[in-house]
Amino acid sequence: MQLTGKNINMRTVTLEDAEFIYLMRQNQNKTKYLSKVTGTVESQKEWIKNYKEKEKEQKEFYFVIESKSEEKLGLVRVYDFQDDSFCWGSWLIKEDAPKTTAIESALQIYEFGFYNLGFKKSHFDVRKGNNKVIAFHQRFGAKIIHENELDYFFNFEKSDYVKIKEKYKRYL
Ligand SMILES: CC(C)(COP(=O)(O)OP(=O)(O)OC[C@H]1O[C@@H](n2cnc3c(N)ncnc32)[C@H](O)[C@@H]1OP(=O)(O)O)[C@@H](O)C(=O)NCCC(=O)NCCS
């Protein structure tokens, strides 16, 4: 499965990405607000094998974000499909990736979720304190609908996306 963006492509992960994922998830300052991944490159491979079964059943999609020259730039995951809403997260981009990678990958996720998969809404949670990411989602028009001690819970409607898409069309 591959999604084609303007300056990036996003393709579903394979076993060969185990080391990349492992190294990305080991990066201490980038993973402060993500759940801890323990283990080794080998256990990452096991995790991917397990994931690949879910991908076959179209229950989950885990993407490597790449440049057009196939340089790996980051990761992002679509999962927890409910009636009319999909969740996305595990979003992680390399420090030295081109500046538009974040916006482009978010747009590709919404294109995929709303048009390819046909959902009407998207939901995701962001750790309190992860202010840059909270601001990113708010600029897109996502709304905080709930919170607990640890997280803000966001909702983003397809109708909001249709509106914002016009503003971001240069990134599509
Ligand atoms: C989350 C993550 C992938 C976002 O990527 P990022 O590159 O940090 O995203 P940014 O918000 O800095 O956006 C990139 C650029 O686009 C700009 N931008 C972002 N949203 C924009 C918008 N709506 N309109 C215009 N420009 C925008 C930003 O200003 C930034 O440019 P700048 O560096 O000149 O300020 C990255 O920070 C990361 O890997 N974080 C660690 C893991 C994590 O917390 N993941 C999220 C868990 S919910």
Side-chain angles (χ1 to χ4, degrees):
M1 162 85 64
Q2 172 155 315
L3 309 177
T4 307
K6 192 173 174 190
N7 300 296
I8 57 165
N9 291 328
M10 302 202 332
R11 57 158 183 85
T12 44
V13 305
T14 67
L15 277 183
E16 283 87 76
D17 298 311
E19 190 169 8
F20 176 69
I21 298 172
Y22 178 79
L23 291 173
M24 287 291 285
R25 298 293 300 221
Q26 291 305 314
N27 182 335
Q28 296 295 326
N29 47 32
K30 278 243 146 186
T31 52
K32 189 171 165 206
Y33 299 110
L34 295 176
S35 52
K36 276 239 170 344
V37 169
T38 53
T40 60
V41 174
E42 267 327 296
S43 53
Q44 189 58 238
K45 280 188 186 159
E46 283 308 310
W47 191 93
I48 296 172
K49 273 185 205 158
N50 191 23
Y51 152 74
K52 280 296 194 189
E53 291 303 313
K54 295 187 224 164
E55 186 190 313
K56 255 187 232 153
E57 296 166 27
Q58 307 243 316
K59 285 185 174 161
E60 189 169 318
F61 298 91
Y62 196 21
F63 295 100
V64 177
I65 306 164
E66 288 186 340
S67 70
K68 293 291 178 187
S69 54
E70 294 179 10
E71 186 197 343
K72 295 175 192 188
L73 302 174
L75 295 162
V76 63
R77 190 161 67 100
V78 174
Y79 60 105
D80 183 27
F81 298 163
Q82 296 176 4
D83 284 352
D84 59 353
S85 186
F86 72 98
C87 181
W88 71 283
S90 309
W91 193 25
L92 192 51
I93 293 176
K94 274 164 78 175
E95 224 90 29
D96 58 353
K99 269 204 188 311
T100 62
T101 310
I103 300 179
E104 285 197 40
S105 56
L107 290 170
Q108 287 306 317
I109 287 295
Y110 289 132
E111 287 289 309
F112 180 63
F114 292 136
Y115 298 100
N116 298 48
L117 299 177
F119 287 104
K120 288 199 173 66
K121 294 185 212 169
S122 177
H123 61 281
F124 39 89
D125 48 82
V126 182
R127 288 281 154 83
K128 287 185 172 177
N130 198 357
N131 294 333
K132 224 176 94 168
V133 176
I134 293 166
F136 182 98
H137 289 305
Q138 289 180 324
R139 259 181 295 178
F140 256 73
K143 290 186 183 66
I144 295 170
I145 52 158
H146 181 63
E147 64 178 273
N148 64 22
E149 222 166 274
L150 198 63
D151 293 303
Y152 288 117
F153 298 89
F154 280 85
N155 185 41
F156 188 58
E157 308 263 336
K158 183 177 178 180
S159 56
D160 297 323
Y161 178 64
V162 173
K163 279 183 225 151
I164 205 87
K165 203 174 148 172
E166 189 50 34
K167 185 172 151 193
Y168 291 118
K169 60 180 181 214
R170 68 179 181 283
Y171 298 107
L172 270 164

